[in-house]
Amino acid sequence: MRLQDSSRFYRILRRWLVNGSGMRSKHGAALALDILAANGITEFAIVQPDGRELRLLTKDKVIAPAVIRFGTFAAEAMATFRSLLEIHKVTTSEIVFVNVGANVGTTCLNAHAIGFRRFVAVEPEPENFRLLRQNLAGLSGSTVRLVQAAIGERAGRGALHRHKNNMGGHSLVAPQSSDRASDTIAVEVQPLTFCVEADEPFVLFVDVEGFEPQVLMSGADAIERNCRALVVELTPAKYSNDDTSRLCQQLAAFSDELFLLPSGDRYPASDLPVLLHAHRDDHFDIAMIRRK
C-alpha cells in the first residue's frame, strides 16, 4: 500500500496494513480508512503485483476495504465468468468488454486479468471517473474508451443520487431512505447505443444500482445483434412491477439459462422471477451467454 504522506505515522500504518492482521480484517481495513480520512487523506494507492497503482478513496467503505484486504474486488465472480466464456468458446481477446457502472475500474482490471484487451468503461460520477481514468491509463496491450455518462433509455440529463460511503452505490434510482444519499448531482445520460459500435461484438457488464432495466432496454437492438454474453447485478427492491416484467422478458429472450456469480450455479432463465423474489431485499449477480 502506498500512501500520499511519508511521515512516520503513515509508515507505521502502512506496515500494519501490509504485514499485520489488519489487512486481513474487514474492521481493521475500515478503521485504517477512517484514520486516514480523519487525518486529511482522501485518496491512496494500492500497488498491484505488476507495479501499477490502483487509486482509491478513503471514504469508500465497500471497494476500498476489499482491495486493502485481498488486493482485488469481486475477482471471484470474474473468474467464474471466464470459465463460462471458455465453455461457450467466447474468446476474450477478440471481443469488446463494455462496463456500464465502471466505478474506479476494478471490474475492467479484473476483465483485463482474464484476457480482455478492448474496453468501453462508462461512469457518470466525477470522482469515480477521475480515478477510473487514472487506474486504466496505460493498461498493457489494451485500448480503452472512457465515457463519462450514465446509461438510460433516452439521451439527456439525469439526477445521480450519491451514496455517502459506498462509491459503487450511486444510482439514478431515488434512494428509499434519506440516510443513503449524501447529495444529488446532474449527469449526462446516453443510451447504450452511444457506447457500442453498430457491428462489433461485445460482452456487457452492468452494475448500476437499480437502473438495470433501463440500461438493457436502452440497448435492446444492439444487445440482440451483437452481445455475446452479459453480467448484470440485479437489485429487485428497486424495480417497479413493470421493470421486473420487462427485465425478465428481455433476459429470457437473450438466453434460456443463467448462472449465479460467483458460485456458477445454473438455472433456467424462466426461474428469474423466482430468484428476484427470493433476493427481493438484496442484490445478486447473474451471467448469461448468448443463445445461438
Side-chain angles (χ1 to χ4, degrees), residues 48-68:
Q48 303 291 283
D50 63 359
R52 291 175 53 84
E53 289 188 350
L54 176 58
R55 305 203 68 81
L56 301 159
L57 298 172
T58 54
K59 66 181 179 180
D60 179 35
K61 297 305 187 289
V62 177
I63 293 176
V67 175
I68 288 173

Side-chain angles (χ1 to χ4, degrees), residues 3 32 37 74 101 107 136 140 148 177 211 239-240 260 262 267 274 279 289:
L3 303 177
T107 296
L136 299 188
S140 176
Q148 187 173 1
S177 59
F211 216 62
Y239 302 153
S240 68
L260 295 185
Y267 292 85
V274 176
H279 294 269
I289 312 298

Side-chain angles (χ1 to χ4, degrees), residues 215-247:
V215 170
L216 295 177
M217 287 303 298
S218 80
D221 290 342
I223 292 170
E224 171 68 24
R225 288 194 311 269
N226 295 320
C227 186
R228 294 293 310 280
L230 57 81
V231 173
V232 185
E233 182 188 71
L234 299 173
T235 50
K238 297 185 178 183
Y239 302 153
S240 68
N241 289 337
D242 286 344
D243 286 340
T244 299
S245 177
R246 64 180 183 169
L247 178 70

Side-chain angles (χ1 to χ4, degrees), residues 23-37:
M23 187 169 183
R24 296 186 295 273
S25 161
K26 179 179 179 180
H27 297 296
L31 176 61
L33 291 170
D34 287 342
I35 293 171
L36 292 174

